[in-house]
Amino acid sequence: MIYIGCHLSVTDGYEAMGKTMSRFGGNTFAFFTRNPRGGKTKPIIPEDIDALRAHMKKEGFGPLVAHGSYTMNLCSANEATRANGLDMLTQDLVRMELLPGNFYNFHPGAHTGQGMETGISQIAEALNQVMKPDMQTTVLLETMAGKGSEVGGTFEELREIIDRVEYKDKIGVCFDTCHTWDAGYDIVNDLDSVLHHFDKVIGLSKLKAVHFNDSKNDRGSHKDRHEKLGRGFLGMEAMRRIALHPLLQGLPFVLETPNDDEGYMAEIHTVLDWF
């Protein structure tokens, strides 16, 4: 079983996103909680949220995977940037409680020269300031490609953040196939070993969602450039093995491939045909 969908724009409203995904043939989707590049938010209309929740229940949707803004950096060397990131995170988690039981995923951040230890510490500190014991949203750290001073290019770095978060039952990981490959993990030829290593370091119980992308670059490139399914260095057969892997069943898979609507519809149906 798989929940499969893609990123949608919140501009048209929440119920509209649900109906669009049903038209695409999917049963989950991702959306940015605010402008991914600028940080601006769209006002929430409670009736719109209620309509989406009703649609998801009717159509048997899996959990949604909201995405924090790319501009949010909780471990920047710039104090003002960190403060702005904390404000975005605080607001986003409040908004996510209107859609209880779903996921909020974000890029852990870049330490911008402070060093990995400082970056990890600042990310965990920010999460501890905003996460609450009664929150119904699970926060996901995304596996990263490890470019520049990015935090999260190894499973060990993500584990160190999780170890420092107080409410461990409310934090998990989103496994990005492109990022993980670009970081150096061989998910094409040795997927079982990679998942075993993830389990040993973090625990598969923490793996809550998959960003399902091919890569324009070879393994270990640390580039982070997504490609359409089957057209990159992972290839379609490896993508199929990932989707069908027994340890990944029941998770929401989100396409972030460089596609238009028709391309996403085709990829969704390609994945569904594997089951």
Side-chain angles (χ1 to χ4, degrees), residues 154-168:
T154 70
F155 300 158
E156 286 78 7
E157 290 166 13
L158 297 177
R159 174 58 190 265
E160 286 193 46
I161 297 171
I162 293 170
D163 282 347
R164 302 180 195 202
V165 170
E166 182 176 359
Y167 301 114
K168 290 182 173 55

Side-chain angles (χ1 to χ4, degrees), residues 131-140 165 167-172 206:
M131 293 174 68
K132 307 296 182 185
D134 58 346
M135 64 187 286
Q136 299 182 68
T137 302
T138 301
V139 177
L140 305 185
V165 170
Y167 301 114
K168 290 182 173 55
D169 61 323
K170 302 182 186 301
I171 191 161
K206 290 294 184 189

Side-chain angles (χ1 to χ4, degrees), residues 64-166:
L64 306 183
V65 188
H67 203 305
S69 173
Y70 293 137
T71 62
M72 187 175 80
N73 187 358
L74 303 176
C75 61
S76 171
N78 184 297
E79 186 175 352
T81 300
R82 291 200 309 274
N84 185 53
L86 181 63
D87 183 58
M88 282 193 274
L89 179 63
T90 303
Q91 292 182 31
D92 285 354
L93 291 184
V94 169
R95 292 161 69 91
M96 285 300 297
E97 290 302 287
L98 298 173
L99 279 167
N102 292 293
F103 299 130
Y104 174 82
N105 171 75
F106 75 103
H107 294 181
H111 62 71
T112 60
Q114 298 185 96
M116 191 61 66
E117 170 63 27
T118 297
I120 288 169
S121 178
Q122 289 175 342
I123 295 165
E125 180 182 350
L127 289 169
N128 284 330
Q129 288 186 59
V130 300
M131 293 174 68
K132 307 296 182 185
D134 58 346
M135 64 187 286
Q136 299 182 68
T137 302
T138 301
V139 177
L140 305 185
L141 304 166
E142 186 169 336
T143 59
M144 301 305 295
K147 69 179 188 289
S149 64
E150 273 184 347
V151 180
T154 70
F155 300 158
E156 286 78 7
E157 290 166 13
L158 297 177
R159 174 58 190 265
E160 286 193 46
I161 297 171
I162 293 170
D163 282 347
R164 302 180 195 202
V165 170
E166 182 176 359

